[in-house]
Amino acid sequence: MLSEKEKNEIETELKQYEHKRAACVEALKIMQHSRGWVSDDGIHDLAGILGMTPDELDGVATFYSLIFRKPVGRHVILICNTISCWVMGYNQVLRSLNERLGIGLGDTSADGRFTLLPVPCLGACDQAPAMMIDNELYGDLTPEKMDEILGKYSWERD
Amino acid sequence: MITVTINGKQIKLEKPVSILEAAKMTGIKIPTLCHHKSLEAYGGCRLCLVEIEKMPRLQASCTQYVTDGMVVWTETGRVVEARKAMLEFLLINHALDCPYCDKAGECDLQDLVMKYGPAAGRFTEGKRKHPESYDDPIIVRNMERCISCTRCVRMCSKVQGASAISMVNRTSKTFVEPFSGGRYNCEYCGNCINVCPVGAIMSRLHKHTYRPWFIEKTVDTVCSFCGVGCSVTAQIRGNSIVRIIPESEKGLNRGLLCNRGRFGYDYISNSGRLKSPMIRKNGSLQETTWSEAFMYIAQKIKEIKEKNGGAAIAGVASGRCTNEDNYVFQKFMRLVVGSNNIDSIAGFAYAPARKFFEKIFGQGVTANPIQGISRSDGIFVIGGDPTAINPVLGLQIRAASQKDIPVATVGYAPGLKGFAANRLIPKPSTEAALLAALLTEMLKRKPLPAEKTPFEEIIGKIQPVSLNEAESACGIASGEISACVDSLSGMTNPALVIGRDIIQRSEGQANLLLLAALAQALNGRIYLSSELPNEQGLIDMGCLPDMLPGGRPVAVDSFRKRYGEFFNAEVPSAQGLSLMEMVEGAHSGNIKALYVMGENIAFNIPDNKFVKDALSRLELLVVQDIFTTETTRFAHVVLPAASWAEREGSYTNLEGRMQHLKKAIDSVAGLEDWKIIAEVSKVLGVDMNYRDSRDILAEIAKVSPLHKGVTYEDMDSGECMWPYKGEPLRHDLNIVGIDMPDMKALLKKPEKDKVYIGVDKVLFHSASLSRNSFALNSIYSEPHAKIGKNLAAKLSVASGDHISISTGAGAIELAAVIDSDMPDNIVLVPNNFEGRGAFRVMGWKMNAAFKAPALDGMEAVLKKLERVSAEVSE
């Protein structure tokens, strides 16, 4: 079931388009924003509102790698995984994240705090190596900076 | 005029087509994997690349249209090199398991790689892995073989309108999946299997049972399930059908089929088929020889005829039998037995509706081509869900809707949800009020021309019904009704698709009159849904108590005389009994003998108990069938018949198209129905002298004015439509005997707290025949009772809970399925499963005008059963 808030936000989006299905990506984003990810039930509910079949909407949802169809941690770390960052020390940064969080790419930490995902280019080559946590960009990364950055997202700060 | 040169061949075209099509016209084949002629051009696979002079790059010929003066080369070195490269890309991930894959031998990819392809790829990376999915009973998916051409997905969404599968994920991990990966839970039309160019989506039914090159012969024939009559090709190996595929080039279905037609054929090889004639001895049916059975029947018929007269004998024909069978059957009943008591299930709805419309508009008014539906400028559906009754006809409606042609549906038609712009769901049995209001409003906006034909005078006498009156009767807001009128009044030549639910009512005739008036006001074409493959043929062949072959009324002396003279015999003049009257007659003792050809009357007629009671009183019950049924259990003689695939003949579909049914395999035990009857007739002293069905058709072509000179070759050559080669019987229209409906009575509301039972037409089943199909049972194995959400809430029933449905006639227990679109006070139960059919608990009232059962107002009491609920999916 969609929450009232989700419903209202989606209704607002629907008004912008001639065809309901045109709002499907926005609707998926709204649901992900409020729940962290989009479940099968969520797809069913959204498909109903958008006048699509669940399969059609699932095709859209799975096409976009930033729409999560599996549960993710509280914060999602997107680590830039392309040439500039490789050159500038991606490996060390990734290893330091692996060690600190105890997870590899695509995993969620045991405390449910972080999910680590590779992303093909954040467009921040000038600050390589770079990563993004939620909507915050962090550049010129070194293993030494990690404690401070991750500390911002610790339980105590919530 | 456009002149194009392809590979040096010059062709002239009236209008621009794609290069691919133009090449095809000149006999040049351009390879493609993603293009399919049922689908729109896609341009995804890049195999149809061609070289066009003056264009620097290679172009996809499926999306590039020809222009005047264009010069195209389809097999240059550049083109061949490009195709080779494309195939090398496709083979990066395509599993090379051809020796194991059933598609090998008819695989487009395999053929192309053999022709163009690289012998070895240069990619050293491993192939993607994805386990073969056996989650579904019918469809196996092997996504390692998928080449992402999206034909299946486009077929499912654009043609079938189901959108049950989609491409999920991206890049090399893109697969075709039904939602959440498990069972398809779709309409199981199997059209995705048909368009898959590789072995990614395949039928599970014949997996690893044969290879394409093992097929010994193929037979082009007609489907045996509904009144659409799709063309199918049966592939045969060792006297059994291994697969049914649609004919892509001809037939009205143009390469499409439904689940019944594609998968349901396996009933013919069911081990439960009747294998030997049986006679009742000492209370039980015992195997006997054909000759003994013929002697017994002839002897009994002779005795009863001598003692009680021919009118004490009645015959039931079948919409599953061919024209030839039905023709011989009525000839036997009329000329040998001396009785006009011939009818069939078609007499319940299809025949009376057709007769009614023909009385008003003239013969052949319901014979309209199905392909015309998607080309009309509006569609009005009432009385059933065409996507379940006649699925391929239903696709025409969906196709129209996708072209933004307005569709209006009246009644619960779940298959058209999302396709109908106007969806009116009235309370049970209140359609008349709604129709009258629609008509009244239509006439206000588009008055009839003032020339006053007899029918327009009748329309003028129909009492007007206001929107408010209709609203209070049928429960649909007047605004919604008037919105529907808005949409209707924009149509200039709409298609009206009419189902049996609206006809099998006490007010059936009023409904038909209102529909006829609406058809007149809208200038509409009428299509009658037909559940059996040869309901139209039953009428044409004279399997009606009041009609001779060719639509000639028995009551007219000159027709009867001419028909009698032809055979040098006398046609009885006494009015025959309808099927329901026969059953009543058997119950009351007036009918002593009943000859049933291919119909399960103890199950397919409402109030099974009454019918069985009637059957048990007969002195002689002869049943010809292919299975043991509820009816054969009461028979004195049971004769095994040949199935649909084991006989030659013709079917006439709901458009009036005659199609040639060909013998695909040899019958193991059964005989053709006509042959059995001819043998009985011979023992009774009348030798019908037919060598094969051709002789019968030749006789029909002489006797029936509608079938003059028709032959199987005419049918094979394609269009063999009404009135075939014969004469149309456009007689002077003399519209008499139409009762004007009493609108006041029709506006009465159904009583509030009562729940009524109705018949659910299930997409996956067809009367009592389909229960013998392993495939269809694996899709839909258990009957469910469908109820609306308010009724469910009142009973505190959730989907899957068991409920008991009891009426005066008895009770059945079924799992409930909740559909929020259903009206509140109705429960729908399918009539397909032994012991749990709707007609077991449904009663009937005689509709005097049609002499057929009316099924409205059948009250039922629903109760929730406390037991562990089984998981039920719709």
Side-chain angles (χ1 to χ4, degrees):
Chain A
M1 286 293 283
L2 293 166
S3 70
E4 275 308 308
K5 185 165 170 284
E6 287 170 334
K7 234 183 235 170
N8 291 338
E9 285 176 20
I10 293 168
E11 291 294 335
T12 317
E13 285 299 330
L14 286 176
K15 284 183 200 133
Q16 318 243 10
Y17 304 98
E18 191 181 342
H19 300 286
K20 282 185 186 174
R21 54 173 59 218
C24 65
V25 176
E26 291 308 319
L28 288 165
K29 280 161 73 180
I30 288 167
M31 178 169 279
Q32 177 160 308
H33 186 75
S34 72
R35 307 180 183 192
W37 66 295
V38 181
S39 65
D40 281 0
D41 286 342
I43 291 279
H44 260 290
D45 295 341
L46 288 180
I49 289 198
L50 297 164
M52 300 169 81
T53 64
D55 294 86
E56 286 176 300
L57 186 60
D58 194 33
V60 176
T62 55
F63 179 81
Y64 293 105
S65 52
L66 293 183
I67 297 291
F68 306 130
R69 288 282 283 110
K70 284 180 191 155
V72 290
R74 177 126 187 163
H75 305 285
V76 178
I77 305 174
L78 300 173
I79 179 159
C80 186
N81 181 17
T82 30
I83 303 163
S84 305
C85 292
W86 294 343
V87 173
M88 298 301 289
Y90 161 84
N91 278 331
Q92 291 89 310
V93 173
L94 179 63
R95 200 178 308 125
S96 117
L97 279 171
N98 291 156
E99 283 162 7
R100 274 163 228 264
L101 301 173
I103 53 173
L105 287 174
D107 297 337
T108 300
S109 59
D111 59 357
R113 199 77 194 140
F114 294 102
T115 295
L116 180 59
L117 296 173
V119 62
C121 199
L122 290 167
C125 303
D126 57 325
Q127 306 172 45
M131 68 176 186
M132 196 180 231
I133 302 182
D134 299 340
N135 277 325
E136 199 71 33
L137 181 73
Y138 297 94
D140 299 321
L141 297 173
T142 57
E144 295 72 41
K145 290 187 182 171
M146 279 304 156
D147 276 339
E148 188 200 333
I149 296 172
L150 293 179
K152 288 192 194 172
Y153 299 90
S154 65
W155 289 112
E156 297 77 42
R157 293 285 184 95
D158 273 352
Chain B
M1 187 66 82
I2 302 164
T3 310
V4 201
T5 313
I6 303 177
N7 292 0
K9 267 194 210 170
Q10 210 176 58
I11 51 163
K12 289 185 189 306
L13 294 159
E14 288 291 335
K15 53 180 184 183
V17 294
S18 68
I19 297 174
L20 192 75
E21 270 173 79
K24 202 176 165 194
M25 287 175 204
T26 58
I28 297 166
K29 196 172 183 303
I30 299 177
T32 174
L33 288 170
C34 72
H35 187 78
H36 193 273
K37 66 177 175 320
S38 311
L39 304 168
E40 277 175 31
Y42 182 65
C45 72
R46 315 310 286 176
L47 276 164
C48 68
L49 293 175
V50 291
E51 194 165 348
I52 302 169
E53 288 187 8
K54 295 178 189 161
M55 282 177 116
R57 287 195 214 165
L58 300 179
Q59 299 292 324
S61 59
C62 62
T63 50
Q64 180 72 49
Y65 274 54
V66 293
T67 53
D68 194 28
M70 190 181 257
V71 181
V72 181
W73 298 94
T74 70
E75 297 282 340
T76 62
R78 246 178 103 201
V79 168
V80 168
E81 200 52 40
R83 285 183 191 151
K84 187 174 169 184
M86 289 306 148
L87 289 165
E88 191 177 353
F89 279 125
L90 287 177
L91 292 185
I92 295 173
N93 272 319
H94 182 84
L96 290 177
D97 57 353
C98 307
Y100 165 86
C101 175
D102 276 346
K103 193 77 173 186
E106 54 177 21
C107 173
D108 293 352
L109 182 64
Q110 191 182 40
D111 293 348
L112 290 176
V113 174
M114 289 309 289
K115 187 172 176 193
Y116 298 100
R122 286 168 289 177
F123 289 86
T124 52
E125 290 82 353
K127 289 178 191 277
R128 63 182 185 184
K129 287 283 159 206
H130 201 71
E132 199 161 33
S133 162
Y134 287 93
D135 292 335
D136 196 86
I138 298 284
I139 299 170
V140 194
R141 273 176 302 136
N142 185 321
M143 284 301 134
E144 288 173 12
R145 298 178 188 147
C146 178
I147 55 166
S148 299
C149 68
T150 74
R151 274 190 195 177
C152 54
V153 175
R154 287 179 286 144
M155 173 57 80
C156 192
S157 66
K158 299 283 183 255
V159 179
Q160 187 66 21
S163 297
I165 47 176
S166 63
M167 306 297 298
V168 301
N169 298 321
R170 61 196 286 176
T171 67
S172 66
K173 292 187 187 66
T174 307
F175 300 117
V176 176
E177 297 266 2
F179 184 62
S180 68
R183 275 182 67 136
Y184 274 69
N185 285 330
C186 65
E187 298 182 338
Y188 288 98
C189 63
N191 289 326
C192 53
I193 297 175
N194 210 52
V195 295
C196 183
V198 294
I201 302 183
M202 299 196 78
S203 159
R204 193 169 166 180
L205 300 174
H206 49 73
K207 192 170 166 60
H208 297 330
T209 56
Y210 79 103
R211 290 309 189 90
W213 55 88
F214 291 161
I215 292 164
E216 289 157 8
K217 70 173 178 177
T218 58
V219 176
D220 295 342
T221 183
V222 191
C223 176
S224 69
F225 280 100
C226 81
V228 170
C230 293
S231 296
V232 296
T233 300
Q235 298 183 329
I236 292 136
R237 181 189 184 198
N239 202 37
S240 78
I241 296 181
V242 290
R243 185 167 62 166
I244 293 281
I245 51 174
E247 288 247 6
S248 57
E249 295 296 333
K250 60 178 191 184
L252 56 100
N253 49 316
R254 311 267 157 92
L256 302 174
L257 279 183
C258 71
N259 67 87
R260 303 197 287 259
R262 189 184 300 274
F263 301 119
Y265 64 87
D266 61 349
Y267 70 85
I268 57 174
S269 50
N270 187 311
S271 58
R273 283 277 301 274
L274 288 172
K275 294 187 181 67
S276 158
M278 289 184 285
I279 293 186
R280 187 168 298 279
K281 286 179 188 157
N282 307 324
S284 70
L285 284 169
Q286 289 172 12
E287 290 193 1
T288 181
T289 60
W290 282 101
S291 57
E292 196 187 337
F294 294 145
M295 292 297 289
Y296 180 86
I297 299 167
Q299 184 62 33
K300 281 294 238 185
I301 287 180
K302 211 170 149 202
E303 276 173 32
I304 294 167
K305 193 181 169 185
E306 274 164 12
K307 206 169 108 202
N308 306 89
I313 304 170
V316 181
S318 166
R320 292 205 196 273
C321 289
T322 60
N323 285 321
E324 290 75 0
D325 295 325
N326 286 314
Y327 172 79
V328 172
F329 186 65
Q330 64 83 32
K331 184 176 163 187
F332 170 75
M333 289 303 298
R334 290 202 161 102
L335 303 181
V336 183
V337 175
S339 166
N340 275 323
N341 299 336
I342 311 143
D343 201 4
S344 67
I345 298 281
F348 284 0
Y350 188 84
R354 219 199 73 158
K355 268 196 254 172
F356 186 88
F357 289 127
E358 291 193 344
K359 182 151 72 174
I360 291 171
F361 298 115
Q363 195 164 24
V365 67
T366 63
N368 296 304
I370 290 171
Q371 293 288 345
I373 295 178
S374 63
R375 297 194 201 115
S376 55
D377 65 352
I379 297 163
F380 181 80
V381 179
I382 188 166
D385 184 354
T387 63
I389 303 164
N390 297 126
V392 169
L393 183 150
L395 292 189
Q396 286 279 317
I397 302 173
R398 289 181 177 173
S401 167
Q402 297 210 348
K403 288 192 280 183
D404 287 333
I405 290 163
V407 178
T409 59
V410 174
Y412 169 69
L416 290 173
K417 187 184 178 183
F419 296 92
N422 299 93
R423 196 158 180 249
L424 309 177
I425 305 178
K427 293 183 200 166
S429 308
T430 59
E431 285 89 347
L434 176 61
L435 285 173
L438 287 174
L439 179 68
T440 310
E441 288 298 309
M442 267 310 294
L443 293 178
K444 273 190 211 159
R445 297 193 202 183
K446 267 196 192 170
L448 294 170
E451 43 203 78
K452 288 272 176 196
T453 62
F455 184 51
E456 282 170 358
E457 276 176 33
I458 292 177
I459 296 175
K461 288 184 206 150
I462 298 174
Q463 292 162 280
V465 168
S466 74
L467 291 176
N468 288 337
E469 284 173 314
E471 175 174 343
S472 67
C474 67
I476 299 171
S478 54
E480 262 185 78
I481 305 175
S482 118
C484 183
V485 178
D486 290 343
S487 159
L488 291 177
S489 53
M491 303 174 184
T492 57
N493 187 13
L496 276 69
V497 184
I498 299 168
R500 65 192 297 171
D501 289 359
I502 196 88
I503 306 161
Q504 289 181 302
R505 295 279 177 75
S506 8
E507 75 281 8
Q509 204 178 22
N511 286 338
L512 290 180
L513 176 64
L514 290 164
L515 282 167
L518 208 55
Q520 176 85 6
L522 292 167
N523 184 32
R525 284 162 294 139
I526 296 169
Y527 294 82
L528 281 176
S529 284
S530 166
E531 288 180 19
L532 298 171
N534 203 23
E535 282 193 286
Q536 178 65 44
L538 281 169
I539 300 174
D540 295 346
M541 292 301 123
C543 285
L544 290 174
D546 57 352
M547 278 297 196
L548 293 168
R552 301 294 207 191
V554 175
V556 178
D557 290 344
S558 60
F559 292 145
R560 210 169 56 238
K561 221 172 123 205
R562 202 184 308 158
Y563 187 68
E565 272 166 11
F566 187 89
F567 295 107
N568 201 16
E570 200 183 327
V571 180
S573 58
Q575 164 87 45
L577 300 180
S578 75
L579 177 50
M580 220 57 225
E581 289 171 330
M582 290 175 203
V583 174
E584 284 188 324
H587 203 265
S588 66
N590 293 333
I591 293 291
K592 304 286 180 201
L594 194 59
Y595 199 125
V596 180
M597 177 177 77
E599 185 56 78
N600 185 5
I601 53 173
F603 185 79
N604 291 327
I605 297 182
D607 198 351
N608 295 164
K609 198 162 161 279
F610 178 78
V611 180
K612 286 177 183 172
D613 207 19
L615 296 183
S616 66
R617 296 177 191 205
L618 288 166
E619 284 175 30
L620 175 68
L621 174 61
V622 183
V623 182
Q624 297 178 190
D625 210 312
I626 63 172
F627 287 105
T628 300
T629 64
E630 287 85 343
T631 312
T632 60
R633 290 188 193 117
F634 292 86
H636 300 95
V637 187
V638 178
L639 303 164
S643 78
W644 148 83
E646 298 157 353
R647 60 168 91 185
E648 188 178 33
S650 59
Y651 279 158
T652 308
N653 77 351
L654 63 92
E655 337 167 78
R657 183 194 298 258
M658 286 188 83
Q659 303 196 96
H660 187 186
L661 180 70
K662 289 183 203 148
K663 186 171 173 167
I665 54 175
D666 293 323
S667 171
V668 181
L671 290 178
E672 286 97 329
D673 285 296
W674 64 262
K675 206 174 258 173
I676 301 175
I677 291 155
E679 290 292 339
V680 175
S681 172
K682 202 169 173 180
V683 183
L684 279 165
V686 180
D687 192 348
M688 291 196 179
N689 231 342
Y690 301 123
R691 281 163 305 172
D692 55 23
S693 58
R694 264 170 206 277
D695 287 355
I696 306 170
L697 187 70
E699 188 177 307
I700 294 168
K702 279 188 209 139
V703 172
S704 161
L706 293 172
H707 301 77
K708 267 190 187 161
V710 72
T711 62
Y712 289 135
E713 285 69 30
D714 293 339
M715 297 179 206
D716 290 338
S717 68
E719 308 287 293
C720 193
M721 301 278 284
W722 186 282
Y724 325 127
K725 276 179 152 182
E727 303 153 4
L729 300 181
R730 298 267 178 202
H731 49 85
D732 288 332
L733 293 180
N734 182 17
I735 312 175
V736 288
I738 292 180
D739 303 325
M740 291 309 288
D742 175 5
M743 283 302 161
K744 291 253 164 56
L746 291 177
L747 286 174
K748 68 174 192 313
K749 288 184 236 172
E751 287 171 62
K752 257 200 172 149
D753 289 333
K754 292 204 170 126
V755 177
Y756 301 93
I757 178 167
V759 182
D760 186 19
K761 182 70 198 76
V762 183
L763 170 63
F764 304 110
H765 282 281
S766 173
S768 60
L769 179 69
S770 56
R771 63 164 84 133
N772 301 299
S773 160
F774 167 79
L776 297 180
N777 279 336
S778 68
I779 301 172
Y780 190 104
S781 54
E782 286 284 309
H784 309 139
K786 268 190 179 172
I787 51 175
K789 61 171 191 282
N790 291 342
L791 184 56
K794 210 163 97 185
L795 298 165
S796 48
V797 165
S799 254
D801 286 352
H802 281 73
I803 54 173
S804 82
I805 301 158
S806 44
T807 66
I812 42 173
E813 295 178 1
L814 295 171
V817 164
I818 299 167
D819 187 328
S820 52
D821 290 326
M822 276 189 40
D824 284 345
N825 51 346
I826 191 158
V827 55
L828 293 178
V829 177
N831 195 58
N832 305 102
F833 291 89
E834 189 168 3
R836 287 178 292 174
F839 286 164
R840 189 174 146 192
V841 292
M842 272 177 89
W844 53 279
K845 300 173 274 191
M846 190 66 106
N847 178 328
F850 300 156
K851 295 176 186 160
L855 302 176
D856 53 318
M858 295 302 147
E859 289 165 26
V861 178
L862 269 57
K863 233 168 57 193
K864 184 181 175 180
L865 294 172
E866 294 305 331
R867 73 162 78 148
V868 183
S869 65
E871 191 61 39
V872 173
S873 56
E874 200 172 336

